[in-house]
Amino acid sequence: MTDKKSDTRSAAIAAGVILLVATAVLYLMPNVIVWLGTISPWLGTGFGVLVILAFFFVFWLRARYQRRKEP
């Protein structure tokens, strides 16, 4: 049986890391999109779509991991 305090700490650390990475990526995203948009508007749009999809993909993976981890 696992310790509830350890599980809570692990979830808090994971949430903090996800939040920090997402904040950094979303903060830098407009500059990268504009830069890629000078090369090709489709490239900038594609990058923006991929970043947003990756954000939701991380939460989907985390939920899958949590479901598999539960007895």
Side-chain angles (χ1 to χ4, degrees):
M1 187 151 183
T2 60
D3 183 21
K4 288 294 182 183
K5 186 176 182 182
S6 174
D7 287 344
T8 304
R9 181 181 297 173
S10 174
I13 291 170
V17 168
I18 291 169
L19 185 62
L20 286 174
V21 170
T23 300
V25 169
L26 292 175
Y27 178 76
L28 297 172
M29 190 173 77
N31 294 331
V32 174
I33 288 175
V34 169
W35 177 72
L36 288 173
T38 60
I39 299 169
S40 166
W42 289 103
L43 194 58
T45 302
F47 177 77
V49 168
L50 286 176
V51 167
I52 298 300
L53 287 176
F55 182 72
F56 289 105
F57 182 69
V58 167
F59 286 110
W60 177 74
L61 282 177
R62 176 99 173 119
R64 242 183 106 163
Y65 173 75
Q66 289 296 331
R67 272 186 270 136
R68 189 177 303 162
K69 190 174 147 183
E70 291 177 1

